[in-house]
Amino acid sequence: QVQLVESGGGLVQPGGSLRLSCLASGSIFSIHAMGWYRQAPGKQRELVAAVGSGDSANYAESVKGRFTISRDNAKDTVYLQMDSLKPEDTAVYFCNADITPWGRRRNDYWGQGTQVTVSS
């Protein structure tokens, strides 16, 4: 069974920084793309940033220049460094990964989410 576990959320003042981590664990053969999504109250879930297996990254326009996604393939972990945070970044952040487990079909997996609140 494959699991994604996020950590690093919390409360931060505007202009502050947070670093989210997401560890993939279980019977994993290969991890393809990994990414972060977020969902604010009353809004749809949206892509924040994603990184491919070759480290190519893409970002939502709203976070370009402020957020940085990276991955450590040796640790099966993806990170999201969030700087210059704004109140509108407040949301539940979800980790997502495209994974091929051992002996099973490639599939899309989600973490349980971690709350990020930007407020003074």
Side-chain angles (χ1 to χ4, degrees), residues 18-49:
L18 281 175
R19 188 191 194 209
L20 305 183
S21 300
C22 172
L23 169 66
S25 64
S27 184
I28 296 171
F29 172 70
S30 181
I31 301 177
H32 313 286
M34 303 183 82
W36 291 92
Y37 288 71
R38 67 185 180 188
Q39 187 166 18
K43 295 188 177 182
Q44 289 189 333
R45 190 173 297 189
E46 62 174 0
L47 175 68
V48 177

Short mmCIF file of all heavy atoms in Angstrom, two decimals, residues 18-49:
data_model
loop_
_atom_site.label_atom_id
_atom_site.label_comp_id
_atom_site.label_asym_id
_atom_site.label_seq_id
_atom_site.Cartn_x
_atom_site.Cartn_y
_atom_site.Cartn_z
N LEU A 18 7.16 29.14 4.97
CA LEU A 18 6.92 27.79 5.46
C LEU A 18 7.51 26.82 4.45
O LEU A 18 7.58 27.13 3.25
CB LEU A 18 5.43 27.50 5.62
CG LEU A 18 4.69 28.03 6.83
CD1 LEU A 18 3.20 27.72 6.70
CD2 LEU A 18 5.24 27.46 8.12
N ARG A 19 7.86 25.65 4.95
CA ARG A 19 8.34 24.59 4.06
C ARG A 19 7.51 23.34 4.29
O ARG A 19 7.49 22.81 5.42
CB ARG A 19 9.81 24.28 4.30
CG ARG A 19 10.42 23.32 3.29
CD ARG A 19 11.77 22.87 3.73
NE ARG A 19 12.53 22.21 2.67
CZ ARG A 19 13.44 21.27 2.88
NH1 ARG A 19 13.71 20.88 4.10
NH2 ARG A 19 14.09 20.74 1.85
N LEU A 20 6.82 22.89 3.27
CA LEU A 20 6.04 21.67 3.34
C LEU A 20 6.88 20.50 2.83
O LEU A 20 7.67 20.65 1.91
CB LEU A 20 4.78 21.79 2.50
CG LEU A 20 3.85 22.96 2.79
CD1 LEU A 20 2.59 22.88 1.91
CD2 LEU A 20 3.46 23.02 4.26
N SER A 21 6.65 19.35 3.44
CA SER A 21 7.31 18.12 3.01
C SER A 21 6.25 17.05 2.78
O SER A 21 5.22 17.03 3.45
CB SER A 21 8.29 17.62 4.07
OG SER A 21 9.29 18.58 4.33
N CYS A 22 6.53 16.16 1.86
CA CYS A 22 5.63 15.03 1.59
C CYS A 22 6.46 13.80 1.32
O CYS A 22 7.24 13.76 0.36
CB CYS A 22 4.73 15.35 0.41
SG CYS A 22 3.73 13.95 -0.15
N LEU A 23 6.28 12.81 2.17
CA LEU A 23 7.02 11.56 2.05
C LEU A 23 6.12 10.48 1.47
O LEU A 23 5.01 10.24 1.99
CB LEU A 23 7.53 11.12 3.42
CG LEU A 23 8.10 9.71 3.52
CD1 LEU A 23 9.37 9.58 2.69
CD2 LEU A 23 8.37 9.34 4.97
N ALA A 24 6.59 9.85 0.42
CA ALA A 24 5.88 8.71 -0.16
C ALA A 24 6.47 7.43 0.43
O ALA A 24 7.68 7.27 0.48
CB ALA A 24 6.02 8.70 -1.68
N SER A 25 5.60 6.55 0.88
CA SER A 25 6.08 5.30 1.48
C SER A 25 5.22 4.14 1.02
O SER A 25 4.12 4.31 0.52
CB SER A 25 6.06 5.41 3.01
OG SER A 25 4.74 5.56 3.48
N GLY A 26 5.76 2.93 1.23
CA GLY A 26 5.04 1.74 0.85
C GLY A 26 5.77 0.97 -0.23
O GLY A 26 6.96 1.16 -0.45
N SER A 27 5.03 0.12 -0.92
CA SER A 27 5.62 -0.75 -1.93
C SER A 27 5.69 -0.01 -3.27
O SER A 27 4.84 -0.19 -4.13
CB SER A 27 4.77 -2.02 -2.05
OG SER A 27 5.37 -2.92 -2.94
N ILE A 28 6.73 0.80 -3.42
CA ILE A 28 6.85 1.69 -4.57
C ILE A 28 7.90 1.18 -5.54
O ILE A 28 9.04 0.98 -5.15
CB ILE A 28 7.20 3.12 -4.11
CG1 ILE A 28 6.06 3.69 -3.27
CG2 ILE A 28 7.49 4.01 -5.31
CD1 ILE A 28 6.40 5.01 -2.59
N PHE A 29 7.50 1.03 -6.82
CA PHE A 29 8.45 0.68 -7.86
C PHE A 29 9.04 1.94 -8.47
O PHE A 29 10.25 2.05 -8.64
CB PHE A 29 7.78 -0.17 -8.93
CG PHE A 29 8.64 -0.42 -10.14
CD1 PHE A 29 9.74 -1.25 -10.06
CD2 PHE A 29 8.37 0.19 -11.36
CE1 PHE A 29 10.56 -1.49 -11.15
CE2 PHE A 29 9.17 -0.04 -12.47
CZ PHE A 29 10.27 -0.89 -12.36
N SER A 30 8.17 2.90 -8.80
CA SER A 30 8.65 4.12 -9.44
C SER A 30 7.71 5.29 -9.13
O SER A 30 6.50 5.13 -9.11
CB SER A 30 8.71 3.91 -10.96
OG SER A 30 9.18 5.07 -11.60
N ILE A 31 8.32 6.44 -8.88
CA ILE A 31 7.55 7.67 -8.69
C ILE A 31 7.77 8.57 -9.90
O ILE A 31 8.91 8.85 -10.26
CB ILE A 31 7.96 8.41 -7.41
CG1 ILE A 31 7.76 7.52 -6.19
CG2 ILE A 31 7.15 9.70 -7.26
CD1 ILE A 31 8.21 8.15 -4.88
N HIS A 32 6.72 8.99 -10.52
CA HIS A 32 6.79 9.84 -11.70
C HIS A 32 6.65 11.29 -11.24
O HIS A 32 7.45 11.76 -10.44
CB HIS A 32 5.75 9.39 -12.71
CG HIS A 32 5.76 7.91 -12.92
ND1 HIS A 32 6.75 7.27 -13.63
CD2 HIS A 32 4.92 6.93 -12.46
CE1 HIS A 32 6.52 5.96 -13.61
NE2 HIS A 32 5.41 5.73 -12.90
N ALA A 33 5.65 12.01 -11.69
CA ALA A 33 5.50 13.40 -11.25
C ALA A 33 5.03 13.48 -9.80
O ALA A 33 4.34 12.59 -9.30
CB ALA A 33 4.50 14.13 -12.14
N MET A 34 5.45 14.54 -9.13
CA MET A 34 4.97 14.84 -7.77
C MET A 34 4.56 16.31 -7.75
O MET A 34 5.14 17.13 -8.47
CB MET A 34 6.06 14.60 -6.73
CG MET A 34 6.62 13.19 -6.74
SD MET A 34 7.84 12.91 -5.43
CE MET A 34 6.74 12.58 -4.04
N GLY A 35 3.59 16.61 -6.91
CA GLY A 35 3.15 18.00 -6.90
C GLY A 35 2.37 18.37 -5.66
O GLY A 35 2.14 17.54 -4.77
N TRP A 36 2.02 19.64 -5.62
CA TRP A 36 1.22 20.18 -4.52
C TRP A 36 0.00 20.88 -5.08
O TRP A 36 0.09 21.64 -6.06
CB TRP A 36 2.05 21.18 -3.71
CG TRP A 36 3.16 20.56 -2.95
CD1 TRP A 36 4.45 20.38 -3.35
CD2 TRP A 36 3.06 20.01 -1.63
NE1 TRP A 36 5.17 19.75 -2.37
CE2 TRP A 36 4.34 19.51 -1.29
CE3 TRP A 36 2.04 19.89 -0.70
CZ2 TRP A 36 4.61 18.91 -0.07
CZ3 TRP A 36 2.30 19.30 0.52
CH2 TRP A 36 3.60 18.81 0.82
N TYR A 37 -1.13 20.63 -4.46
CA TYR A 37 -2.38 21.30 -4.76
C TYR A 37 -2.84 22.00 -3.49
O TYR A 37 -2.37 21.69 -2.40
CB TYR A 37 -3.44 20.31 -5.22
CG TYR A 37 -3.21 19.73 -6.59
CD1 TYR A 37 -2.18 18.83 -6.84
CD2 TYR A 37 -4.06 20.08 -7.65
CE1 TYR A 37 -1.98 18.31 -8.11
CE2 TYR A 37 -3.86 19.55 -8.92
CZ TYR A 37 -2.83 18.67 -9.13
OH TYR A 37 -2.64 18.15 -10.39
N ARG A 38 -3.78 22.91 -3.65
CA ARG A 38 -4.37 23.53 -2.47
C ARG A 38 -5.85 23.78 -2.70
O ARG A 38 -6.32 23.91 -3.83
CB ARG A 38 -3.66 24.84 -2.11
CG ARG A 38 -3.84 25.96 -3.13
CD ARG A 38 -2.98 27.16 -2.73
NE ARG A 38 -3.12 28.27 -3.67
CZ ARG A 38 -2.37 29.37 -3.64
NH1 ARG A 38 -1.43 29.52 -2.71
NH2 ARG A 38 -2.57 30.33 -4.53
N GLN A 39 -6.56 23.83 -1.58
CA GLN A 39 -8.00 24.08 -1.64
C GLN A 39 -8.37 25.02 -0.50
O GLN A 39 -8.20 24.68 0.68
CB GLN A 39 -8.79 22.79 -1.53
CG GLN A 39 -10.28 22.97 -1.77
CD GLN A 39 -10.98 21.66 -2.00
OE1 GLN A 39 -10.48 20.58 -1.67
NE2 GLN A 39 -12.17 21.72 -2.60
N ALA A 40 -8.84 26.19 -0.88
CA ALA A 40 -9.31 27.17 0.10
C ALA A 40 -10.81 26.96 0.32
O ALA A 40 -11.49 26.38 -0.54
CB ALA A 40 -9.05 28.58 -0.41
N PRO A 41 -11.33 27.41 1.45
CA PRO A 41 -12.77 27.23 1.73
C PRO A 41 -13.64 27.80 0.61
O PRO A 41 -13.43 28.94 0.18
CB PRO A 41 -12.96 28.01 3.03
CG PRO A 41 -11.64 27.97 3.69
CD PRO A 41 -10.64 28.05 2.58
N GLY A 42 -14.57 27.00 0.14
CA GLY A 42 -15.49 27.44 -0.89
C GLY A 42 -14.91 27.49 -2.29
O GLY A 42 -15.58 27.95 -3.23
N LYS A 43 -13.69 27.02 -2.45
CA LYS A 43 -13.05 27.05 -3.77
C LYS A 43 -12.65 25.65 -4.21
O LYS A 43 -12.56 24.73 -3.40
CB LYS A 43 -11.82 27.96 -3.73
CG LYS A 43 -12.13 29.41 -3.49
CD LYS A 43 -10.90 30.27 -3.65
CE LYS A 43 -11.22 31.75 -3.49
NZ LYS A 43 -10.02 32.61 -3.69
N GLN A 44 -12.41 25.52 -5.51
CA GLN A 44 -11.97 24.24 -6.04
C GLN A 44 -10.49 24.02 -5.75
O GLN A 44 -9.71 24.97 -5.57
CB GLN A 44 -12.21 24.20 -7.56
CG GLN A 44 -13.68 24.12 -7.95
CD GLN A 44 -13.85 23.86 -9.44
OE1 GLN A 44 -13.00 24.22 -10.25
NE2 GLN A 44 -14.97 23.24 -9.80
N ARG A 45 -10.13 22.75 -5.72
CA ARG A 45 -8.72 22.41 -5.55
C ARG A 45 -7.97 22.86 -6.80
O ARG A 45 -8.42 22.66 -7.92
CB ARG A 45 -8.57 20.90 -5.34
CG ARG A 45 -7.19 20.47 -4.93
CD ARG A 45 -7.15 19.00 -4.58
NE ARG A 45 -7.99 18.68 -3.43
CZ ARG A 45 -8.00 17.50 -2.81
NH1 ARG A 45 -7.18 16.53 -3.24
NH2 ARG A 45 -8.80 17.27 -1.80
N GLU A 46 -6.78 23.46 -6.58
CA GLU A 46 -5.99 23.96 -7.69
C GLU A 46 -4.55 23.51 -7.59
O GLU A 46 -4.02 23.33 -6.48
CB GLU A 46 -6.04 25.49 -7.74
CG GLU A 46 -5.46 26.19 -6.53
CD GLU A 46 -5.40 27.70 -6.67
OE1 GLU A 46 -5.81 28.24 -7.72
OE2 GLU A 46 -4.93 28.35 -5.71
N LEU A 47 -3.92 23.38 -8.74
CA LEU A 47 -2.51 23.04 -8.77
C LEU A 47 -1.68 24.23 -8.32
O LEU A 47 -1.88 25.35 -8.78
CB LEU A 47 -2.09 22.64 -10.18
CG LEU A 47 -0.60 22.38 -10.39
CD1 LEU A 47 -0.17 21.13 -9.65
CD2 LEU A 47 -0.29 22.28 -11.87
N VAL A 48 -0.74 23.96 -7.42
CA VAL A 48 0.19 24.99 -6.97
C VAL A 48 1.52 24.84 -7.71
O VAL A 48 2.03 25.79 -8.30
CB VAL A 48 0.44 24.90 -5.45
CG1 VAL A 48 1.48 25.92 -5.01
CG2 VAL A 48 -0.86 25.08 -4.69
N ALA A 49 2.06 23.64 -7.69
CA ALA A 49 3.34 23.39 -8.35
C ALA A 49 3.49 21.89 -8.55
O ALA A 49 2.96 21.10 -7.77
CB ALA A 49 4.51 23.92 -7.52
#
